[in-house]
Amino acid sequence: MKLLINLIMRAPNYWRSFGFVSGSRLLLKIEGRGSSTSDRTLKINMPNDQHPVYLRDQVSDRSIFWQVLVQRQYRMDIFPHFKAIQSYYHAMVAKGKIPLIIDGGANIGLASRFYATTFPKAKIIAVEPSSANFEMLVKNTRILGDKVVPVNGGIWPNDTYLKVVGLDKGAAGFQVVETEETDPDRVKAYSINSLMELGGRDSVPFIVKLDIEGSQKHLFEQKADWIDTMPVISLELEDWLFPWSNSSTGFFTAVSRIPADYLLSGENIVWINHTLQNTEQLQAEAKKT
């Protein structure tokens, strides 16, 4: 009965995103499994996409599919600011630049796939510390070639080393803590500035997406000068997950000095830098060159 109620409740969202026929097929294949788990990988054929999506047969991956591809929580075309975001994107492309998207906490790569579809000329640095998630990330983004650069590591205020803890919370609920270079379980930690360097000389800041399970507390506690030139930040607020920890205070403190708009999309707060108001002028200048 619980499974049937869940299917009925979620069906309209699947139909809205994929149409009745394809939506019903995906609903039954993904949500029809309930809370069952197995070691196999599900191959999900997507409408209007010749390349399938791969999910592990577990609740966490099905939840990621629901949030990213059904609810489309990273879409920005619902906001009046989207015209300016698009203008900036097209102006940079016209000038021969590569808009750079950092997908922090990329998990199995579905957000990277979503951004690659929305902004096909962008380069995406997809950062994920879990080796198991990273394997799926590579599998899901391989078809995008060099548009997506998978990085098995974490995001931190500085370049150092981290280790994954709390794996008992599932593939989407673990955290990272700083560790020593000699730790056998270490992964590399990258600052935002270091990740932007991976984009190459022709790249320009565009979007930073952060779903990093409380690590934003550390990321924004130190000087974050990269914010000044970042047009868009999408951050999952996680005070509900880490009560009384001030996990989001550093973010609001860091961005409060910069004129910006704050928008809500699902679990995310989307920060829009007011410098995007000048994008129509940028686009006009790009057409002249």
Side-chain angles (χ1 to χ4, degrees):
M1 179 62 70
K2 183 178 179 181
L3 176 58
L4 178 59
I5 292 174
N6 183 64
L7 290 173
I8 293 172
M9 293 293 290
R10 295 200 167 195
N13 293 276
Y14 275 84
W15 296 337
R16 189 180 303 115
S17 295
F18 306 113
F20 180 76
V21 175
S22 295
S24 298
R25 173 180 60 83
L26 290 171
L27 172 72
L28 293 174
K29 184 163 188 176
I30 297 171
E31 306 295 342
R33 308 189 64 78
S35 59
S36 65
T37 61
S38 72
D39 293 332
R40 70 174 183 151
T41 297
L42 304 176
K43 181 181 178 181
I44 310 297
N45 294 314
M46 301 294 294
N48 303 319
D49 190 339
Q50 60 179 317
H51 304 293
V53 163
Y54 297 95
L55 307 177
R56 291 165 296 191
D57 190 10
Q58 54 186 247
V59 172
S60 61
D61 283 18
R62 294 195 287 271
S63 295
I64 293 293
F65 185 92
W66 164 256
Q67 292 172 351
V68 178
L69 299 183
V70 181
Q71 290 188 313
R72 296 189 290 173
Q73 67 176 10
Y74 295 113
R75 65 182 296 192
M76 288 180 283
D77 58 350
I78 58 175
F79 302 131
H81 306 67
F82 188 62
K83 180 180 179 181
I85 294 171
Q86 277 190 312
S87 294
Y88 176 85
Y89 166 77
H90 289 300
M92 294 302 101
V93 171
K95 293 175 69 173
K97 299 296 183 180
I98 302 172
L100 182 66
I101 299 173
I102 295 175
D103 182 359
N107 203 276
I108 61 173
L110 301 192
S112 292
R113 287 271 295 254
F114 185 86
Y115 282 128
T117 300
T118 307
F119 304 107
K121 298 294 185 180
K123 173 171 280 190
I124 302 163
I125 309 295
V127 188
E128 173 55 43
S130 162
S131 58
N133 286 351
F134 184 76
E135 183 179 343
M136 294 300 296
L137 162 65
V138 172
K139 190 177 184 71
N140 274 318
T141 60
R142 184 179 291 120
I143 48 89
L144 297 171
D146 60 4
K147 289 183 179 180
V148 176
V149 180
V151 176
N152 187 196
I155 293 181
W156 210 245
N158 55 290
D159 296 347
T160 181
Y161 294 92
L162 305 171
K163 69 185 298 183
V164 176
V165 296
L167 284 172
D168 57 308
K169 296 180 180 179
F174 60 83
Q175 294 179 268
V176 293
V177 296
E178 195 164 350
T179 190
E180 302 293 332
E181 185 177 359
T182 55
D183 191 327
D185 298 321
R186 72 190 182 280
V187 294
K188 189 76 168 58
Y190 298 86
S191 67
I192 296 293
N193 286 328
S194 292
L195 292 170
M196 288 196 288
E197 289 178 3
L198 292 179
R201 294 176 59 186
D202 292 330
S203 67
V204 291
F206 185 30
I207 298 171
V208 167
K209 167 255 178 184
L210 297 170
D211 183 2
I212 51 179
E213 307 304 329
S215 290
Q216 65 265 27
K217 175 178 173 61
H218 304 282
L219 179 63
F220 292 104
E221 278 182 343
Q222 299 186 27
K223 183 179 180 182
D225 55 349
W226 55 270
I227 297 175
D228 296 4
T229 57
M230 192 59 60
V232 180
I233 300 173
S234 177
L235 172 75
E236 182 173 343
L237 297 178
E238 292 164 329
D239 292 332
W240 67 272
L241 188 60
F242 308 104
W244 317 115
S245 68
N246 291 323
S247 70
S248 301
T249 301
F251 166 73
F252 286 110
T253 300
V255 300
S256 63
R257 60 185 174 80
I258 301 172
D261 284 5
Y262 298 77
L263 310 169
L264 295 176
S265 178
E267 297 177 351
N268 299 312
I269 186 165
V270 183
W271 178 85
I272 310 288
N273 197 320
H274 277 193
T275 57
L276 283 180
Q277 293 180 97
N278 303 321
T279 54
E280 291 186 4
Q281 179 181 346
L282 285 173
Q283 196 168 18
E285 291 175 353
K287 291 179 180 178
K288 295 177 183 178
T289 59

